[in-house]
């Protein structure tokens, strides 16, 4: 199976996917909110934010100064588009697994044509 269009290797690692998914649900988020929501250390979150910012997926603003300095983060339009494309690609992968699961009813139909299948159908109908 080939990788569907829109699959984004940069977003795909679970931590980055979690960050982008969280940001997709809001306009801006404070650094401590993201850190606490995803149970990440400051350094781990900073590293992921930096990677996503370098790709143009995030905008990071630092407000205030001294001890009251706040870091706010949001998805850029490029980041939102990449996230939506990645989610669509993941759905395509999951749906692509469907025909394998759908093959089971076809096998049951073939069994139903045999005597054993008919007996099983009668037993199920009697329940």
């Amino acid at each position: 199976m080939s990788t569907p269009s829109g699959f984004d290797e940069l977003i795909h690692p679970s931590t980055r996917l979690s960050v982008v998914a969280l940001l997709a649900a809001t306009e801006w988020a404070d650094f401590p909110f993201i850190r606490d929501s995803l149970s990440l250390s400051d350094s781990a979150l900073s590293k992921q934010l930096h990677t996503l910012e370098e790709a143009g997926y995030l905008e990071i603003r630092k407000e205030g100064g001294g001890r009251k300095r706040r870091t706010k983060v949001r998805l850029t339009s490029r980041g939102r588009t990449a996230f939506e494309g990645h989610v669509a690609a993941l759905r395509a992968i999951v749906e692509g697994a469907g025909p394998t699961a759908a093959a089971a009813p076809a096998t049951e139909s073939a069994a139903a044509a045999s005597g054993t299948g008919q007996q099983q159908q009668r037993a199920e109908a009697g329940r």
Side-chain angles (χ1 to χ4, degrees):
M1 176 179 192
S2 65
T3 303
S5 173
F7 188 89
D8 192 315
E9 294 284 347
L10 185 74
I11 292 176
H12 190 67
S14 63
T15 301
R16 282 189 221 133
L17 182 58
S18 296
V19 168
V20 175
L22 181 67
L23 293 172
T26 187
E27 183 62 30
W28 287 92
D30 290 327
F31 184 95
F33 173 76
I34 301 167
R35 179 197 61 213
D36 296 346
S37 295
L38 302 177
S39 299
L40 295 172
S41 67
D42 287 355
S43 62
L45 178 56
S46 292
K47 180 180 177 183
Q48 300 308 323
L49 294 179
H50 180 72
T51 299
L52 292 164
E53 182 184 35
E54 281 187 336
Y57 290 179
L58 300 182
E59 178 182 347
I60 300 174
R61 280 194 191 159
K62 299 196 184 267
E63 300 175 344
R67 295 182 56 90
K68 296 194 180 212
R69 188 170 185 130
R70 292 177 51 181
T71 301
K72 298 180 83 166
V73 184
R74 77 175 180 102
L75 276 181
T76 61
S77 59
R78 179 179 180 181
R80 191 168 299 278
T81 299
F83 174 67
E84 291 168 357
H86 189 68
V87 169
L90 291 175
R91 284 190 178 121
I93 291 169
V94 171
E95 289 169 2
T100 304
T107 305
E108 290 173 8
S109 297
S114 72
T116 306
Q118 290 173 353
Q119 290 172 350
Q120 185 178 13
Q121 283 179 335
R122 281 189 218 115
E124 289 176 0
R127 290 183 191 161

